[in-house]
């Protein structure tokens, strides 16, 4: 679709159509918007979350772990001369862990395969941090507390529980989501 903006320039807008369903037989409806047909796509990046038409988050988890590995590689390459471990941890928390936590309430993995993909990033950082501290790589032992490997997963669970509490107490107004809860409140 081509529009003109107020300054007289031409703005090209691409129309995309994505159908979210878990059904194998997708109902295909042809949309026509002022003579333009939208292109069909199977995945779309919306607010940093990779949405797939099959409503699975395997692609998103692969996407964010790939980005996290790239950023972690950047940190490792550029902090070899650092002597302050807290600065390295701060970079990791700011640039990598925040990417792994972003919108985790929405896409939190339940399968071990996807949990392990996230843990691989954390383990790689732990090995690098161990090397920075002791000037040797140790494959059998690394400092798990230094990466917050377990607290990352517990933070995701905490985020889910806080959302649930706000939903129940009415701080978040979503009647359709609230109706999906199977709740039994004692007298």
């Amino acid at each position: 679709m081509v529009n003109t903006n107020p300054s007289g320039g031409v703005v090209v807008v691409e129309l995309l159509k994505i159908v979210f369903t878990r059904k194998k037989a997708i109902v295909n409806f042809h949309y026509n918007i002022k003579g333009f047909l939208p292109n069909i796509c199977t995945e779309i990046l919306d607010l940093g979350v990779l949405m797939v038409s099959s409503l699975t988050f395997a692609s998103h988890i692969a996407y964010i772990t790939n980005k996290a590995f790239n950023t972690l590689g950047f940190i490792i390459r550029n902090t070899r001369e650092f002597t302050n471990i807290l600065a390295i941890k701060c970079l990791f928390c700011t640039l990598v862990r925040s990417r792994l936590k972003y919108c985790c309430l929405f896409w939190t993995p339940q399968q071990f395969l996807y949990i392990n993909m996230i843990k691989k990033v954390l383990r790689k950082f732990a090995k690098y941090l161990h090397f920075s501290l002791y000037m040797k790589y140790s494959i059998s032992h690394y400092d798990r507390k230094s990466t917050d490997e377990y607290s990352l997963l517990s933070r995701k669970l905490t985020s889910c529980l806080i959302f649930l509490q706000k939903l129940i107490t009415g701080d978040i107004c979503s009647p359709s989501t609230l109706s999906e809860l199977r709740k039994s409140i004692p007298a």
Side-chain angles (χ1 to χ4, degrees), residues 131-166:
F131 177 77
S132 296
L133 284 170
Y134 305 111
M135 292 303 163
K136 65 178 181 176
Y137 281 111
S138 175
I139 299 190
S140 62
H141 168 54
Y142 55 88
D143 187 9
R144 290 183 183 200
K145 290 181 184 176
S146 63
T147 62
D148 289 335
E149 176 178 330
Y150 297 105
S151 63
L152 179 68
L153 295 174
S154 66
R155 279 189 190 120
K156 289 180 180 182
L157 179 62
T158 303
S159 297
C160 292
L161 291 173
I162 289 171
F163 174 78
L164 183 62
Q165 178 203 11
K166 288 182 178 181

Side-chain angles (χ1 to χ4, degrees), residues 32 107 127:
N32 185 348
W107 59 264
K127 287 180 183 180

Side-chain angles (χ1 to χ4, degrees), residues 46-50 60 64 96-108 152 156:
D46 187 23
L47 297 174
V49 178
L50 189 62
H60 175 70
I64 63 160
V96 178
R97 194 174 71 185
S98 63
R99 183 180 301 274
L100 295 174
K101 283 179 53 182
Y102 179 71
C103 286
C104 66
L105 179 65
F106 188 61
W107 59 264
T108 298
L152 179 68
K156 289 180 180 182

Side-chain angles (χ1 to χ4, degrees), residues 79-88 132-133 135:
T79 61
R80 292 179 198 255
E81 304 296 322
F82 282 31
T83 56
N84 187 350
I85 298 301
L86 291 176
I88 298 171
S132 296
L133 284 170
M135 292 303 163

Side-chain angles (χ1 to χ4, degrees), residues 39 41 77 82:
N39 295 330
C41 64
R77 284 190 306 276
F82 282 31

Side-chain angles (χ1 to χ4, degrees), residues 162-175 177-179 181:
I162 289 171
F163 174 78
L164 183 62
Q165 178 203 11
K166 288 182 178 181
L167 187 65
I168 290 171
T169 58
D171 294 339
I172 296 175
C173 182
S174 179
T177 307
L178 192 57
S179 68
L181 289 177

